[in-house]
Amino acid sequence: MRKDEFWEGVRGGFPIMLAASPFGALFGALAVDNGFTIADTVFMSATVYAGASQMVGIELFGNHVQPWLVVLSVFAVNFRHVLYSASIAKYIRHFTPIQKFFAFFLLVDPQYAETEKRGERGLPVTFPWYLGFGLVIYFPWIFNTLLGAIFGQMIGDPKAIGLDVLLPIYFLGLVMGFRKRDRFLPIVAVSAIASVAGMHFVGSPWHVSIGALAGVLLAACLPPTGTVAAPPVAIEKEA
Amino acid sequence: MDPQHLNLIYLIIAAAVATFVTRIGGYVLITQMKQIPPRLEAALNAVPAAVLTTLVAPAFVYGGFDVAVSMFVAFAIALGLNLSTLRMLVIGWVVVMLLRHLVL
């Protein structure tokens, strides 16, 4: 029975793993391009295991941003996970402490979405199911990072093969994923203007904190909309 | 291992710990707090879009003509056809490669 649940999780996570694979490889190639060794790159995928924030991390590291700001930005990009773990708390309360440790470590966007869906339907959220779903995404993510990093190291000039446009477009895609949220346009407009102004008048890397702070402050200052916030399933496919 | 590389390892470990804190944080909070104040929730909701925008806008403005064009084309097509991020990346990449190797 328990074994069946594990394999059910593996089957559920398999398509997500396929969808996330190019991003793992992309991360690997770009990380090497930003000054990481292959070992650093794989180490980051295995320990941080949060695609979008890993991309943010290497981008800022490549621009010689101060370490505390890199960590803060990773924290900020991953902040949505706080909402995830709060939301699935009711379904995984029966896990043992060690099981919870692994469950939270593996809590990527699709893992959250699927756990929530399963719990809402009244299906049991068991640890074997959760682990099967999580691991079939986790290990290929590391492997694809390695492949991408090896590939990245073979490339001489990343600009000649167009690698340099991929990160900004990737981040643009992520931003667009949040467009259903309250106050999306004003927040993005203010952050965009403030970050460009910050880049112009203060310089990199301060444009990141200046722009982000402007958008967040705006969101806090605008009158509440009264609508219930949609469940945070914005960055679905990027692990 | 030279000190600079060691610093990168520490940085990755710090990023991993920060990420884990976000993943366990909600569970810990929900067992402590009954409700999040609405303005705090609005601010938290705005964090990802606000942070990610700061990585897009300056690249668009200062990244050069070819980067700006490829970003715009990828954005317009992805928005119009509701494409995935992966397809958007492919479009942007094709545009920048055409601009760099055939046009400019």
Side-chain angles (χ1 to χ4, degrees):
Chain A
M1 188 64 204
R2 307 239 87 186
K3 218 173 154 190
D4 287 355
E5 284 164 0
F6 179 83
W7 288 108
E8 192 191 337
V10 169
R11 275 196 303 277
F14 192 79
I16 313 252
M17 177 273 283
L18 290 181
S21 291
F23 293 99
L26 179 65
F27 167 75
L30 294 176
V32 167
D33 180 36
N34 276 278
F36 277 46
T37 66
I38 292 177
D40 300 334
T41 308
V42 171
F43 181 61
M44 191 177 193
S45 269
T47 54
V48 178
Y49 186 46
S53 74
Q54 289 177 226
M55 300 278 198
V56 171
I58 56 167
E59 163 85 7
L60 295 178
F61 177 81
N63 285 320
H64 306 288
V65 169
Q66 301 91 322
W68 66 269
L69 194 55
V70 177
V71 175
L72 195 67
S73 301
V74 167
F75 184 78
V77 171
N78 284 326
F79 201 84
R80 64 187 189 284
H81 295 126
V82 172
L83 304 174
Y84 297 173
S85 65
S87 186
I88 65 163
K90 53 186 178 289
Y91 303 125
I92 64 164
R93 204 156 267 167
H94 62 278
F95 287 11
T96 67
I98 290 168
Q99 289 175 340
K100 276 179 190 150
F101 175 86
F102 285 110
F104 289 128
F105 179 76
L106 293 171
L107 186 57
V108 292
D109 305 82
Q111 183 90 46
Y112 160 73
E114 213 54 42
T115 304
E116 187 79 59
K117 207 163 90 188
R118 209 176 152 83
E120 232 167 54
R121 278 195 202 145
L123 293 168
V125 178
T126 62
F127 185 69
W129 171 81
Y130 192 104
L131 194 67
F133 192 96
L135 291 183
V136 77
I137 305 172
Y138 178 72
F139 286 118
W141 175 257
I142 297 170
F143 182 69
N144 285 310
T145 300
L146 176 65
L147 289 185
I150 292 169
F151 173 75
Q153 199 151 64
M154 297 188 301
I155 301 160
D157 176 18
K159 257 192 132 157
I161 62 152
L163 270 188
D164 57 314
V165 294
L166 296 181
L167 269 182
I169 293 176
Y170 173 76
F171 293 134
L172 178 61
L174 293 186
V175 171
M176 288 166 70
F178 292 102
R179 64 182 183 271
K180 299 268 159 61
R181 284 202 185 179
D182 288 345
R183 320 277 193 198
F184 172 77
L185 281 179
I187 290 163
V188 165
V190 164
S191 291
I193 293 165
S195 64
V196 171
M199 182 79 122
H200 188 83
F201 294 111
V202 189
S204 179
W206 293 103
H207 66 286
V208 177
S209 346
I210 293 168
L213 199 62
V216 170
L217 280 178
L218 176 79
C221 293
L222 287 171
T225 50
T227 56
V228 181
V233 281
I235 310 177
E236 279 251 357
K237 287 173 237 103
E238 279 79 32
Chain B
M1 203 180 281
D2 66 289
Q4 219 183 342
H5 194 189
L6 203 59
N7 283 342
L8 174 59
I9 303 290
Y10 289 144
L11 180 66
I12 294 171
I13 292 169
V17 171
T19 303
F20 188 75
V21 167
T22 67
R23 283 181 173 150
I24 198 165
Y27 186 86
V28 174
L29 281 178
I30 202 88
T31 47
Q32 310 284 330
M33 206 195 310
K34 277 278 163 258
Q35 214 188 350
I36 308 170
R39 279 188 197 278
L40 179 61
E41 197 181 340
L44 295 180
N45 257 323
V47 166
V51 171
L52 292 167
T53 299
T54 68
L55 301 177
V56 177
F60 182 78
V61 175
Y62 297 109
F65 176 74
D66 47 2
V67 171
V69 169
S70 60
M71 283 176 77
F72 180 77
V73 172
F75 166 75
I77 297 178
L79 188 67
L81 301 178
N82 204 11
L83 298 182
S84 67
T85 306
L86 193 57
R87 289 191 180 162
M88 191 170 160
L89 279 171
V90 172
I91 294 168
W93 179 79
V94 168
V95 172
V96 89
M97 289 301 274
L98 287 175
L99 283 174
R100 277 179 192 167
H101 296 280
L102 294 175
V103 182
L104 297 177

